[in-house]
Amino acid sequence: TFQRQLQQSDCQNALMKKVFDTYMLFLQINQSAAALKHVFAALRLFVGKFPSAFFQGQADLCGSLCYEILKCCNHRSRSTQTEASALLYFFMRKNFEFNKQKSIVRSHLQLIKAVSQLIADAGIGGSRFQHSLAIINNFANGDKQMKNVNFPAEVKDLTKRIRTVLMATAQMKEHEKDPEMLVDLQYSLANSYASTPELRRTWLESMAKIHARNGDLSEAAMCYIHIAALIAEYLKRKGKIHIFQANYVPINYIVE
């Protein structure tokens, strides 16, 4: 009934946001496995009908959906894990098709970002989540229509990167009583995102949450200072702001 209104401005409009938020409520509030099966089916239709909402313009909707689906990939119900993994694979494939079979850059970026957030928020990464990653890889390997393109390789690369983040986090947990080793591991992971400021910012935010939870408020504050410096540097390069630098605190020093 409201398809025309939802498609206005390439699906970047207030009505689309309201409809999307309603869908997200079904994932944010505890549901039965039977109800979730219908929610996932509805979301597949929604993404299939309005791909522009997720793969064009602002990345907010894409990021929110990736976050909620990944949470479901860690669900205690095996059927829900499978359904969530299938939806995530469908989502990545739609991204690939939307980009004329070139890449899944947006979903890749938003999924890594969501994983980094979930490590601090929900403690994902156990056997249930690993099982979901294996399901996604199996979908990619068995998709005959995608055999002659680089999509399966991109999916494999994404799941590999997610596992790398999870392994680094597991190492941090092992050394949580060794502050110096923990800081080194956190710094290494943040540095691995140096070429992708958005991901580096996400990991710094994750670090800040962990520090705050442990009562290390000065360390959390330093994470937020780094985030502010990254944003300022980005806006400066875009010509959006002019930074008056103090001689004794260069902006490059803060970023590095």
Side-chain angles (χ1 to χ4, degrees), residues 89 135-144 146 151-153 155-156:
Y89 178 76
I135 291 172
I136 292 168
N137 272 328
N138 288 339
F139 279 133
N141 293 331
D143 194 338
K144 293 179 180 178
M146 292 288 163
F151 178 66
V155 172
K156 188 176 181 180

Side-chain angles (χ1 to χ4, degrees), residues 58-86:
Q58 295 293 320
D60 297 353
L61 301 192
C62 182
S64 297
L65 184 58
C66 288
Y67 182 89
E68 296 301 336
I69 298 175
L70 281 173
K71 267 205 314 189
C72 292
C73 286
N74 202 44
H75 200 275
R76 61 184 176 275
S77 164
R78 275 297 171 97
S79 63
T80 298
Q81 286 176 39
T82 303
E83 289 283 346
S85 301

Side-chain angles (χ1 to χ4, degrees), residues 140-158:
N141 293 331
D143 194 338
K144 293 179 180 178
Q145 293 181 343
M146 292 288 163
K147 271 193 173 179
N148 298 321
V149 292
N150 66 337
F151 178 66
E154 292 214 19
V155 172
K156 188 176 181 180
D157 177 61
L158 173 58

Side-chain angles (χ1 to χ4, degrees), residues 5-17:
Q5 292 95 316
L6 286 166
Q7 288 176 329
Q8 285 179 358
S9 304
D10 291 323
C11 297
Q12 309 293 314
N13 57 72
L15 181 60
M16 174 59 76
K17 183 71 169 62

Side-chain angles (χ1 to χ4, degrees), residues 205-218:
E205 285 174 343
S206 178
M207 285 170 60
K209 287 179 184 176
I210 294 168
H211 282 313
R213 197 159 56 213
N214 293 334
D216 300 325
L217 300 183
S218 60

